[in-house]
Amino acid sequence: MPAPLRAVLAEDQALLRVGLTRILESGGISVVEAVDDAPSLARALTRDDIDIAVVDVRLPPTHTTEGLEAATAVRATRLAFPVLVLSQWVEPLYARDLLAGGEGAIGYLLKDRVADVDGFLAAVHQVAGGGTVLDPEVVAALVSARSRPLDRLTDREREVLTLMAEGRSNAAVAARLVVTEKAVGKHINNIFTKLDLPQAADDNRRVLAVLAWLDGR
Amino acid sequence: MDATVTVDALAERLRLTLLSAGYAASFVPSLLLAILTLLCLPLGLAGVGFVLALAVVPATAALTAAHRRVSGRLLGEGIAASYAPDRGVALVRPAYWLRDPARWRDFGFLCFSATGGFVLSVLPPLLLTTPVSWLILAFTAGDWAWVLLLVFSGPLLLAWWVTVEPLASARARAERAILGHDRVAELEERVGQVEESRAETLDHSAAEVRRIERDLHDGAQARIASVGMSVGLAEKLLQTDPEAAAALLREARETTMDALDDLRSVVRGIHPPVLADRGLAGAIEALAVAVPVPVAVSVAVPRLPAPVESAAYFALAECLANTVKHAAATRAWVSGTYDGGRLRLVAGDDGRGGADSGGSGLAGVARRLAAFDGMLAVDSPAGGPTTVRMEVSCLPL
């Protein structure tokens, strides 16, 4: 049994701050500090007893993209510090900013996803473990933007690609599509070959490769 | 024209004669200034003209200002000057004056005042004074020829009686034509106002859209997200802690109600449903019902274009909100009329007064009405009562 995760939470709406705290605590993640604006978040992110930050994109004072900026700022000083960004809507452009470093341990989800408590908690653990989690909405936007080259993939391969881009591990993709993990591995190899992507051993590196490709860079 | 001889009519004609004498006396400074103005042009090349112009042009402006005032009063309307604003240091100003049509109109006035205008205005005092001077001469000189000329004084006095009014008003009208705002300047000013109000309207709409976006984001959207969280957590706890799950579900249900409330208020802020259903008159009734002080409503207006109805509704809502918040009033009233081209609304209360049209709320309303070529006037002496008059131009549906 590993030590429970310790999280900083930044959310300006009191209602959601309470809800998120409850949900995180219910999953055994202790919220060591819950803040409601950008300056307090910057202060909280300097603590060294935290494993992950869960932040809302919009925070006071200006209600624009404070959370996003705090996330990129903290990762500039603390390399690959896990940050899970939550928002009322997702913007592929913001996803690109978050992924730009390419070191993983990043998540970007719609607040709606939190209602799927177990899925959300799994995402928190995945990000804390260095993985990448992207909202299906973002992935859908990226996939539709790159629709043409994807014609080379079979329907099943496209399903696997989409699930993988959301940051799911091979095991999770297998469970979702009700196939064996071995079959998933085969699909992934085909995808990587068809899209000219460098093969990678671990899940997260694969995910990042796929995302970089979808993002057209 | 009323030609009966009464004391009033006589006094009026004597007044106009004096006025005409004044107009005629303006001949001297006008001629002088006209000559000096003409001198400024060749001398301007030598530089001296600039200095001369600095004295002559303001003197001309002072003279024409006096004429504008007098003629304006005679015609019962103000005659506005329309000089271009002065720019730069004093010495270069004459260069700008050269390009200002209003200054050239001043010069035109000088020429008129020293010629045709003088003839117009010198007639009434002449017609009146000639017979009088003949009379004095007849008695002092005793020459019989003067007595004979006395015969002509009757017709002269009659002519004076008849012409003094038309001549004075002709002079005043001529001055209005020369010195008044010309049509182009008026249209330019109008275009300026329209541009300004359009810019303000666009700013206002953008601010409204931002406000709506914020309201949705901070209100309904956040509450619904929180409902999702509560329900999700309840689902997770259903087996292990049914009581906590039930509490969460109850909370979620209440939050749903709040979210719907939020949505309703946002919708009301965009376009009140009652306005769509009932038009302005009905919507104002509905507003009045919600106000804690009694409001007497007499609004008799037909259905008008939706944007106008909406602007008028929010304007009145603002006024009534001010009444409730600041006025400490015991009663309020709202009236509205429409004459086929202009909607007139009045909102008032018997509260403490001191309302400020420059305050953010009413200023916002004024901006919103300006988009419809409308206006807002606040009369709110300390101690009350407060009356806010609003007008909006619109065609009937």
Side-chain angles (χ1 to χ4, degrees):
Chain A
M1 179 79 196
L5 285 178
R6 298 164 63 79
V8 163
L9 171 65
E11 163 63 64
D12 58 318
Q13 310 268 354
L15 209 55
L16 300 186
R17 204 163 52 241
V18 171
L20 281 163
T21 307
R22 271 188 204 149
I23 284 172
L24 290 166
E25 303 269 356
S26 83
I29 298 161
S30 71
V31 178
V32 293
E33 202 168 338
V35 298
D36 62 1
D37 64 15
S40 336
L41 172 61
R43 227 183 3 264
L45 283 174
T46 58
R47 298 175 58 143
D48 46 20
D49 62 343
I50 48 174
D51 308 308
I52 184 166
V54 179
V55 301
D56 180 6
V57 168
R58 259 192 190 193
L59 292 170
T62 69
H63 294 275
T64 50
T65 55
E66 280 85 352
L68 212 57
E69 279 144 30
T72 33
V74 70
R75 287 161 67 84
T77 50
R78 302 170 75 166
L79 191 68
F81 179 78
V83 179
L84 174 54
V85 178
L86 295 175
S87 176
Q88 303 259 41
W89 61 84
V90 291
E91 173 60 64
L93 180 72
Y94 297 168
R96 175 183 306 181
D97 291 347
L98 288 170
L99 296 167
E103 59 283 274
I106 199 86
Y108 184 35
L109 289 177
L110 267 178
K111 279 183 192 165
D112 312 19
R113 310 286 168 214
V114 180
D116 167 15
V117 174
D118 290 331
F120 170 68
L121 291 171
V124 174
H125 282 287
Q126 205 174 328
V127 171
T132 305
V133 180
L134 267 202
D135 199 279
E137 288 244 350
V138 179
V139 174
L142 294 176
V143 168
S144 66
R146 296 291 308 248
S147 58
R148 193 144 311 176
L150 295 180
D151 293 347
R152 277 173 282 174
L153 302 183
T154 63
D155 286 352
R156 185 35 70 101
E157 283 166 354
R158 209 166 307 143
E159 276 175 2
V160 171
L161 176 78
T162 304
L163 289 170
M164 190 168 62
E166 283 164 19
R168 294 172 204 269
S169 63
N170 289 9
V173 173
R176 184 71 183 270
L177 297 177
V178 204
V179 294
T180 61
E181 220 173 310
K182 203 165 146 208
V184 171
K186 211 162 80 211
H187 285 307
I188 290 178
N189 279 338
N190 288 343
I191 293 168
F192 274 63
T193 313
K194 283 183 181 175
L195 300 182
D196 282 336
L197 289 169
Q199 296 284 354
D202 67 295
D203 286 345
N204 194 47
R205 228 174 279 275
R206 283 182 182 179
V207 172
L208 289 170
V210 166
L211 285 171
W213 182 82
L214 281 175
D215 207 18
R217 284 176 297 128
Chain B
M1 199 181 89
D2 179 30
T4 47
V5 182
T6 62
V7 177
D8 279 350
L10 183 63
E12 173 65 11
R13 279 173 175 71
L14 287 171
R15 190 179 72 84
L16 289 174
T17 309
L18 260 177
L19 187 71
S20 292
Y23 273 144
S26 172
F27 161 82
V28 179
S30 298
L31 186 61
L32 194 68
L33 287 168
I35 291 165
L36 288 171
T37 307
L38 285 173
L39 273 177
C40 284
L41 294 170
L43 289 176
L45 300 173
V48 186
F50 274 79
V51 183
L52 186 59
L54 284 177
V56 172
V57 175
T60 306
L63 182 68
T64 57
H67 276 268
R68 268 189 214 98
R69 225 181 5 260
V70 172
S71 299
R73 203 169 303 150
L74 190 64
L75 294 168
E77 55 178 272
I79 299 175
S82 55
Y83 301 120
D86 274 334
R87 280 180 303 191
V89 290
L91 259 183
V92 302
R93 274 181 203 157
Y96 287 115
W97 289 339
L98 268 179
R99 292 206 312 236
D100 182 358
R103 302 283 175 188
W104 286 106
R105 283 208 302 275
D106 273 8
F107 177 68
F109 162 83
L110 294 178
C111 300
F112 165 76
S113 171
T115 54
F118 173 69
V119 175
L120 271 184
S121 302
V122 84
L123 273 174
L126 268 183
L127 289 173
L128 178 63
T129 54
T130 312
V132 175
S133 57
W134 285 342
L135 197 65
I136 293 166
L137 281 171
F139 282 109
T140 51
D143 195 330
W144 62 267
W146 290 114
V147 182
L148 199 138
L149 281 170
L150 254 180
V151 175
F152 294 104
S153 66
L156 282 183
L157 285 172
L158 185 66
W160 169 76
W161 185 266
V162 174
T163 59
V164 58
E165 274 190 333
L167 284 173
S169 98
R171 168 87 195 221
R173 277 202 301 272
E175 295 200 346
R176 181 180 58 188
I178 299 169
L179 293 176
H181 235 33
D182 64 345
R183 190 87 187 103
V184 173
E186 223 167 280
L187 286 173
E188 275 173 358
E189 197 172 297
R190 187 85 189 83
V191 169
Q193 285 168 351
V194 169
E195 277 177 349
E196 197 173 315
S197 89
R198 185 184 57 182
E200 278 183 340
T201 306
L202 290 174
D203 283 351
H204 177 80
S205 316
E208 280 293 279
V209 170
R210 272 197 304 277
R211 184 184 60 76
I212 291 165
E213 192 264 346
R214 276 294 299 277
D215 283 354
L216 286 173
H217 179 273
D218 292 351
Q221 220 178 349
R223 287 188 209 276
I224 292 167
S226 122
V227 168
M229 290 179 195
S230 299
V231 172
L233 197 52
E235 192 182 10
K236 187 176 164 69
L237 296 177
L238 207 53
Q239 305 305 326
T240 52
D241 189 352
E243 255 175 56
L248 281 167
L249 288 172
R250 209 170 24 252
E251 199 177 294
R253 189 163 43 85
E254 282 160 11
T255 310
T256 309
M257 297 296 156
D258 294 344
L260 286 172
D261 259 351
D262 276 342
L263 281 174
R264 270 192 293 272
S265 78
V266 170
V267 167
R268 267 199 303 274
I270 296 169
H271 193 74
V274 65
L275 196 53
D277 298 344
R278 291 266 189 83
L280 191 55
I284 292 171
E285 290 277 2
L287 266 181
V289 168
V291 174
V293 295
V295 184
V297 179
S298 78
V299 178
V301 297
R303 289 305 301 258
L304 296 168
V308 174
E309 281 192 337
S310 167
Y313 172 89
F314 285 111
L316 282 170
E318 177 68 27
C319 294
L320 288 173
N322 286 341
T323 295
V324 174
K325 266 192 298 211
H326 310 297
T330 58
R331 53 186 205 90
W333 53 91
V334 173
S335 67
T337 54
Y338 179 67
D339 62 5
R342 216 152 162 81
L343 170 67
R344 289 185 177 79
L345 299 165
V346 179
D349 65 61
D350 64 351
R352 68 168 71 122
D356 176 15
S357 59
S360 67
L362 285 172
V365 170
R367 269 200 302 277
R368 192 164 179 162
L369 296 181
F372 300 95
D373 198 11
M375 52 73 79
L376 174 142
V378 180
D379 173 40
S380 184
T386 297
T387 312
V388 182
R389 289 187 308 109
M390 290 161 279
E391 286 191 13
V392 178
S393 283
C394 66
L395 294 171
L397 271 182

